[in-house]
């Protein structure tokens, strides 16, 4: 079955492609990437020059980011996956705030099972879990209030699903996405198409300081991982707004320790009150290449929020695999 | 940041918790609302907390620290903390006791101040809490407030039946109302007694967000409380009377005999309130006793 290209997607993709291309040179050189990052980039490579068929089916690339396979949602494996997911979904909905639910859109080849609140898959549940945890930790309140306008920094950006969820639930917040060329292209196209009224901003290496000016006028901003404030001496002096929350949905553990430390230290330096990091939740670990431990780095800069207790996470949020770490900023690091 | 005349004073009656103090202090010092002073009074003369406090006080003039030369016990130290706060910052509008082992959300103080600023009839604002044990957390499910209850007797009645003393006592209070209510008295469950008295001076508002993470190491135990309140085995005989009798006696003395409710209310009203408290607290005690004798009873009910 041919999946149609969503309305406006061609234009948004072309615009994102041009803006991301202009960032060339500002991305982290491939020589500094880990094997996991290189493999991820290779899996996402078709996004760089997407034809109509690729553009219409961008969701297929989610597998390279979160490990969620569309093939698990049809055929022989679907029944077992559905049984487990529907049980988890029910537990999350029974205890949670349904206003935080954002279902999987059909656009770009969206997939999943039909649930009480719409289409869903493992990514959908993950986003609902993260938002629910943030709500219970009273972290989401400033984002829902929007005054003063808070900023959420998402490390990696993924395929745009989390940015879409946040944009839907918290339209009065600014969402900063940093990542690789492919991640920015993928997430920018996705978000721009689903939120055509959103005010987007793309980093321009020709005027780095301008990226951070009039920040309140930005809904979603995209920048290379390499311009993370504090990344080097050149970026240290930039007028970066204070971040309220930093979210890592599994990208940090793909990086090497020095870059993990740089991201977390930057989060702390910019005053981010909270950090949330998921690690160890995917199945795509390459043999002989364990993921980088993120928790010890986060612990140096952030106190663990009581909600990060494994027993509670398992009982309330069905987090059985990996680590879900919510931290609040230490005064001294 | 230097706050010469803070609107808010946080009083910490400490008892030798060097393991938790750094995290606790940081959760207070990183509040989004910074116009407060923090008064710490250490009740363990041998405690190793001075160095920890000094490390933070060096960079933050909001912190004041004293150590008692002899142990006062919990009641004595809570009273001393408040007395020092009032002496140093007589113009501060709001006061809250804070423990040396819990943590607070960065918006805790801002949210509670916003409530008291917006509701002149409120004398106490407190948030929902998370109970934190060594390996788990539980939400405190019960809710209580007297928002919109204008009559003193009605507020007292409702408080006697349902208040959540253990959580409310750590809320943000109007300092003047707290002073009028009598601070902390040498009775068992003095937090409950104080909150009952406070209900006569204004309303209680509960903020519906979980903004306080409360360490819970053990269930409530009355004998342990006596040992902590009256150190050195000096529990007075009256402390073995039912708590609601002790509380009623204090209310009667303060408001019916000494007339401390003036100008808000007179002695006759004070007598009536003491009787109201006695009646409804007795009803509550009876119900709790029946519940504990029921075959389906699960121990560990939060004391309130």
């Amino acid at each position: 079955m041919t999946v149609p290209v969503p309305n406006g997607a061609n234009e948004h993709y072309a615009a994102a492609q041009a803006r991301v291309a202009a960032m060339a040179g500002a991305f982290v050189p491939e020589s500094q990437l880990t094997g996991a990052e290189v493999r991820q980039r290779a899996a996402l490579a078709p996004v760089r020059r997407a034809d109509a068929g690729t553009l219409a089916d961008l969701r297929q690339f989610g597998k390279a980011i979160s490990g969620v396979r569309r093939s698990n949602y049809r055929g022989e494996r679907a029944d077992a996956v559905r049984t487990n997911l529907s049980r988890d979904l029910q537990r999350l909905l029974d205890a949670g705030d349904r206003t935080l639910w954002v279902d999987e859109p059909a656009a770009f080849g969206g997939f999943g099972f039909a649930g009480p609140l719409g289409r869903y898959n493992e990514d959908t549940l993950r986003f609902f879990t993260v938002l629910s945890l943030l709500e219970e930790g009273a972290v989401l309140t400033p984002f829902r209030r929007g005054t003063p306008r808070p900023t959420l920094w998402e490390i990696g950006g993924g395929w745009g699903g989390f940015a879409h969820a946040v944009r839907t639930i918290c339209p009065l917040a600014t969402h900063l996405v940093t990542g690789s060329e492919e991640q920015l292209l993928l997430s920018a196209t996705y978000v721009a198409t689903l939120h055509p009224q959103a005010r987007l901003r793309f980093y321009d290496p020709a005027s780095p300081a301008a990226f951070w000016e009039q920040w309140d006028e930005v809904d979603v901003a995209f920048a290379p991982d390499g311009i993370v404030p504090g990344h080097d001496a050149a970026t240290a002096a930039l007028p970066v707004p204070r971040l309220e929350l930093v979210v890592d949905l599994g990208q940090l553990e793909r990086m090497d320790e020095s870059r993990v430390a740089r991201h977390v230290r930057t989060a702390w330096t910019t005053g981010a009150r909270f950090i949330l990091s998921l690690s160890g939740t995917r199945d795509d670990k390459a043999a002989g290449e364990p993921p980088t431990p993120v928790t010890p780095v986060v612990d140096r800069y952030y106190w663990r929020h009581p909600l990060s207790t494994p027993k509670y996470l398992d009982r309330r949020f069905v987090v059985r695999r990996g680590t879900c770490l919510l931290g609040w900023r230490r005064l001294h690091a | 940041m230097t706050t010469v005349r803070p609107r808010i004073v946080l009083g910490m009656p400490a008892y030798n918790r060097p393991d938790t103090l750094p995290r606790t202090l940081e959760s207070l010092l990183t509040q989004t609302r910074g116009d407060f002073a923090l008064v710490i009074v250490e009740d363990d003369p041998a405690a190793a907390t001075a160095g920890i406090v000094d490390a933070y006080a060096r960079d933050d003039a909001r912190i004041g620290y004293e150590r008692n030369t002899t142990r006062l016990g919990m009641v004595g130290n809570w009273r001393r903390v408040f007395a020092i706060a009032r002496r140093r910052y007589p113009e501060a509008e709001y006061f809250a006791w804070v423990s040396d082992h819990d943590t607070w959300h960065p918006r805790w103080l801002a949210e509670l101040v916003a409530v008291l600023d917006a509701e002149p009839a409120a004398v106490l604002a407190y948030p929902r809490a998370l109970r934190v044990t060594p390996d788990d957390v539980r939400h405190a499910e019960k809710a209580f407030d007297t928002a919109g209850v204008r009559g003193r007797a009605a507020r007292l009645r409702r408080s006697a039946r349902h208040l959540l003393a253990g959580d409310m006592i750590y809320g943000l209070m109007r300092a003047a109302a707290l002073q009028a209510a009598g601070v902390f008295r040498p009775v068992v469950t003095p937090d409950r007694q104080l909150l009952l008295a406070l209900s006569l001076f204004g309303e209680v508002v509960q903020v519906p967000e979980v903004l306080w993470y409360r360490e819970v190491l053990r269930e409530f135990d009355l004998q342990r409380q006596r040992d902590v309140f009256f150190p050195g085995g000096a529990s007075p005989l009256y402390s073995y009377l039912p708590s609601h009798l002790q509380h009623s006696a204090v209310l009667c003395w303060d408001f019916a005999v000494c007339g401390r409710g003036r100008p808000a209310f007179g002695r006759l009203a004070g007598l009536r309130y003491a009787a109201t408290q006695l009646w409804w607290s007795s009803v509550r005690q009876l119900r709790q006793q029946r519940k504990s004798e029921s075959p389906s009873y699960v121990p560990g009910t939060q004391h309130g």
Side-chain angles (χ1 to χ4, degrees):
Chain A
M1 186 175 79
T2 306
V3 180
V5 175
N7 282 342
N10 284 313
E11 291 74 23
H12 293 304
Y13 175 74
Q17 201 180 30
R19 301 301 292 272
V20 171
M23 298 178 197
F27 290 102
V28 177
E30 187 142 311
S31 58
Q32 293 180 23
L33 299 180
T34 62
E37 290 178 293
V38 170
R39 279 193 300 280
Q40 185 183 58
R41 286 199 68 197
L44 297 177
V47 174
R48 284 190 224 129
R49 284 174 190 76
D51 57 19
T54 303
L55 186 59
D57 197 23
L58 287 182
R59 270 302 271 123
Q60 64 175 303
F61 297 103
K63 176 176 154 240
I65 291 163
S66 63
V68 177
R69 299 163 186 263
R70 186 158 53 189
S71 58
N72 283 347
Y73 292 78
R74 51 184 180 229
E76 292 175 2
R77 279 177 284 195
D79 284 341
V81 174
R82 182 189 291 111
T83 301
N84 289 337
L85 279 195
S86 63
R87 179 196 58 216
D88 292 349
L89 170 64
Q90 199 53 55
R91 271 177 68 176
L92 288 170
L93 289 179
D94 284 348
D97 177 358
R98 293 183 175 212
T99 66
L100 298 176
W101 177 266
V102 179
D103 63 8
E104 165 96 355
F108 296 111
F111 60 92
F113 301 122
L117 299 180
R119 183 185 302 103
Y120 74 99
N121 54 49
E122 291 152 88
D123 282 335
T124 325
L125 290 194
R126 184 174 305 114
F127 301 151
F128 183 59
T129 296
V130 166
L131 290 171
S132 297
L133 178 59
L134 293 174
E135 169 96 332
E136 287 204 13
V139 178
L140 212 55
T141 305
F143 291 89
R144 294 184 113 173
R145 283 179 184 165
T147 308
R149 191 179 179 94
T151 297
L152 181 159
W153 172 24
E154 183 184 352
I155 298 172
W159 51 269
F162 184 64
H164 162 62
V166 173
R167 186 87 208 112
T168 304
I169 302 296
C170 308
L172 301 177
T174 300
H175 195 112
L176 167 64
V177 174
T178 60
S180 66
E181 180 185 343
E182 295 78 17
Q183 286 172 334
L184 296 188
L185 194 45
L186 188 50
S187 55
T189 303
Y190 193 85
V191 171
T193 304
L194 293 181
H195 300 271
Q197 304 305 317
R199 300 167 297 177
L200 305 188
R201 182 176 289 178
F202 291 84
Y203 177 77
D204 179 2
S207 48
F211 182 70
W212 305 106
E213 289 167 3
Q214 288 153 346
W215 192 246
D216 277 2
E217 296 175 6
V218 180
D219 292 324
V220 192
F222 300 91
D225 189 54
I227 69 102
V228 166
H231 184 89
D232 53 32
T235 60
L238 292 174
V240 176
R242 194 184 64 75
L243 308 173
E244 180 73 16
L245 166 68
V246 177
V247 173
D248 158 47
L249 298 182
Q251 191 62 28
L252 279 179
E253 64 177 347
R254 285 190 169 100
M255 300 179 187
D256 64 29
E257 265 193 61
S258 68
R259 283 181 49 232
V260 172
R262 194 175 299 135
H263 279 80
V264 179
R265 186 172 60 243
T266 298
W268 184 85
T269 305
T270 55
R273 283 194 223 285
F274 295 96
I275 189 167
L276 185 146
S277 174
L278 301 184
S279 52
T281 60
R282 289 191 313 272
D283 256 334
D284 61 347
K285 300 172 187 51
E289 189 179 283
T292 302
V294 174
T295 300
V297 180
V298 174
D299 279 344
R300 284 208 293 272
Y301 295 91
Y302 288 82
W303 296 101
R304 290 203 198 179
H305 194 290
L307 290 179
S308 293
T309 305
K311 218 183 232 183
Y312 180 73
L313 289 173
D314 179 36
R315 185 174 68 242
R316 166 70 180 88
F317 293 110
V318 203
V319 175
R320 295 192 197 87
R321 184 170 64 190
T323 303
C324 179
L325 176 57
L326 178 63
W328 56 276
R329 187 179 182 274
R330 291 179 182 259
L331 197 52
H332 307 294
Chain B
M1 174 183 159
T2 304
T3 308
V4 177
R5 287 186 174 178
R7 282 191 74 201
I8 308 141
V9 180
L10 305 180
M12 180 186 290
Y15 192 72
N16 197 19
R17 289 298 304 271
D19 56 324
T20 55
L21 194 55
R23 187 192 61 200
T24 292
L25 284 177
E26 292 203 9
S27 82
L28 292 172
L29 298 175
T30 54
Q31 288 292 303
T32 57
R33 178 120 201 177
D35 55 338
F36 65 87
L38 175 59
V39 172
I40 305 172
V41 181
E42 173 61 67
D43 198 33
D44 182 349
T49 49
I52 295 171
V53 176
D54 279 347
Y56 288 98
R58 241 176 263 136
D59 299 321
D60 199 323
R62 293 176 292 177
I63 303 172
Y65 177 84
E66 288 192 27
R67 185 156 63 191
N68 296 330
T69 50
T70 54
R71 190 175 163 209
L72 298 180
M74 192 167 161
V75 170
N77 203 31
W78 277 54
R79 290 179 62 83
R80 183 150 194 261
V81 163
F82 182 69
I84 293 173
R86 292 302 273 167
R87 190 178 70 234
R88 284 192 193 163
Y89 309 103
E91 295 174 15
E93 287 174 71
Y94 303 137
F95 176 85
W97 280 290
V98 292
S99 78
D100 58 356
H101 49 267
D102 299 330
T103 53
W104 293 264
H105 188 282
R107 286 186 295 107
W108 165 77
L109 192 56
E111 296 293 337
L112 300 189
V113 170
V115 166
L116 293 183
D117 280 352
E119 303 288 339
V123 291
L124 165 63
Y126 75 110
R128 286 180 54 210
L130 202 64
R131 301 265 186 278
V132 182
T133 58
D135 65 347
D136 201 358
V137 297
R138 294 273 173 187
H139 287 280
E141 298 298 341
K142 293 181 187 174
F144 175 82
D145 70 71
T146 55
V149 182
R150 299 286 180 226
R152 286 182 226 281
R155 286 199 302 268
L156 179 62
R157 185 167 57 244
R158 188 163 164 162
S159 300
R161 296 179 70 186
H162 303 297
L163 70 79
L164 307 170
D167 285 350
M168 289 164 60
I169 198 63
Y170 288 100
L172 187 68
M173 307 181 201
R174 290 191 196 279
L178 174 54
Q179 184 99 56
V183 196
F184 238 47
R185 311 307 290 278
V187 294
V188 293
T189 61
D191 48 354
R192 179 176 166 81
Q193 189 280 320
L194 168 58
L195 292 164
L196 288 167
L198 195 63
S199 72
L200 297 173
F201 295 93
E203 298 168 17
V204 171
V205 178
Q206 186 178 33
V207 172
E209 272 192 296
V210 175
L211 300 174
W212 177 37
Y213 312 108
R214 188 178 179 191
E215 182 192 69
V216 176
L217 294 180
R218 58 182 75 80
E219 295 300 334
F220 172 73
D221 179 83
L222 202 52
Q223 183 53 49
R224 183 184 160 270
Q225 192 178 83
R226 282 194 200 93
D227 295 340
V228 168
F229 286 2
F230 311 107
S235 306
L237 279 177
Y238 69 76
S239 71
Y240 289 88
L241 288 171
S243 59
H244 63 288
L245 289 183
Q246 298 180 45
H247 300 167
S248 186
V250 171
L251 285 180
C252 194
W253 177 257
D254 281 351
F255 301 122
V257 174
C258 301
R260 288 192 189 138
R262 290 192 184 125
F265 54 89
R267 285 192 168 100
L268 202 54
L271 183 62
R272 205 166 59 240
Y273 296 141
T276 298
Q277 180 274 331
L278 180 61
W279 172 258
W280 288 107
S281 290
S282 300
V283 167
R284 174 181 165 273
Q285 290 279 79
L286 202 56
R287 281 188 180 148
Q288 282 189 337
Q289 200 171 331
R290 280 188 183 161
K291 203 169 153 187
S292 67
E293 289 164 2
S294 156
S296 59
Y297 173 68
V298 175
T301 308
Q302 174 197 349
H303 111 82

